[in-house]
Amino acid sequence: MHVPPKEKLIEELREFYASELEYPVDVVTADSEFEAELGVDSLHQITLLGWALERYGFSDVIDGLRAPEYATVTAVADLVLSLAEDR
């Protein structure tokens, strides 16, 4: 799957996370911390991270990732972009 440029990717991920969390998109900013600001526990974070990675064709890398390391939409976008560069 094609990974869009960072700004577009962040917008897509904001929409994805907002939809999955049932929040308005404007609540999920690029730098909102999933646990501290949005109340998403670590188990739910890893599930959402897995779905986000699957969306861009990287479902094979979820094992071993730690949700706290990807605690914002920007961090998830950076991960997706780095995975795209490696392939």
Side-chain angles (χ1 to χ4, degrees), residues 45-83:
Q45 285 181 54
I46 200 69
T47 299
L48 292 171
L49 178 60
W51 291 344
L53 292 175
E54 184 176 322
R55 176 181 179 147
Y56 295 100
F58 303 114
S59 59
D60 59 318
V61 299
I62 192 66
D63 291 337
L65 293 180
R66 295 176 25 92
E69 294 176 19
Y70 308 100
T72 66
V73 168
T74 298
V76 174
D78 288 341
L79 172 62
V80 170
L81 290 168
S82 72
L83 292 169

Side-chain angles (χ1 to χ4, degrees), residues 17 21 23 27-41 45 67-68 70-75:
Y17 275 88
L21 296 170
Y23 288 146
V27 171
V28 181
T29 67
D31 296 316
S32 296
E33 292 187 18
F34 296 134
E35 189 165 6
E37 296 177 61
L38 301 174
V40 182
D41 65 56
Q45 285 181 54
Y70 308 100
T72 66
V73 168
T74 298

